[in-house]
């Protein structure tokens, strides 16, 4: 369903180890909004929710709720570090269009 690059796995592991509260995994959600119609929402989670798909990569659990699953099927997640900004980058084959911020799609 979702693949994480080695850089994305390292970034999530860093976030999990630095979390103020224990977290078991990383949630990726798709919500209405953003400049193109949908936006990604990310966060650490202590437990999966009912209906979640759980994708495990290199010991990292990614939780995806049922409503988001069709929007992220086949998506690859990377983490890039740049001079002006750093963050997760999404290569989503389901996106018909993307905005320049890289966090919104339609």
């Amino acid at each position: 369903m979702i693949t994480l690059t080695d850089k994305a796995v390292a970034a999530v592991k860093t976030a999990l180890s630095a979390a103020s509260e224990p977290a078991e995994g990383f949630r990726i959600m798709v919500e209405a909004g953003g400049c193109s119609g949908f936006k990604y929402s990310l966060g650490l989670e202590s437990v999966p929710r009912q209906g979640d798909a759980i994708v495990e990569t290199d010991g990292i659990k990614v939780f995806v709720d049922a409503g988001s699953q069709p929007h992220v099927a086949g998506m690859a997640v990377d983490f890039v570090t740049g001079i002006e900004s750093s963050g997760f980058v999404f290569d989503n084959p389901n996106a018909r269009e993307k905005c320049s911020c890289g966090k919104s799609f339609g």
Side-chain angles (χ1 to χ4, degrees):
M1 172 184 287
I2 294 177
T3 57
L4 301 177
T5 66
D6 291 342
K7 290 179 183 179
V9 168
V12 173
K13 284 182 178 180
T14 298
L16 287 170
S17 68
S20 59
E21 296 182 20
E24 184 178 320
F26 181 67
R27 177 167 299 282
I28 297 177
M29 288 180 58
V30 173
E31 300 176 326
C35 15
S36 296
F38 293 104
K39 64 181 180 178
Y40 301 107
S41 178
L42 310 172
L44 301 179
E45 291 278 332
S46 57
V47 295
R49 300 176 191 168
Q50 185 175 1
D52 278 352
I54 302 171
V55 178
E56 194 161 346
T57 303
D58 291 333
I60 298 296
K61 292 181 183 177
V62 180
F63 305 129
V64 182
D65 65 280
S68 299
Q69 291 171 23
H71 297 291
V72 300
M75 183 170 76
V77 181
D78 193 11
F79 188 85
V80 296
T81 305
I83 294 172
E84 294 183 17
S85 66
S86 299
F88 290 98
V89 177
F90 308 94
D91 183 12
N92 189 342
N94 304 297
R96 293 183 309 275
E97 58 186 58
K98 298 177 190 175
C99 70
S100 60
C101 73
K103 308 288 185 218
S104 180
F105 68 99

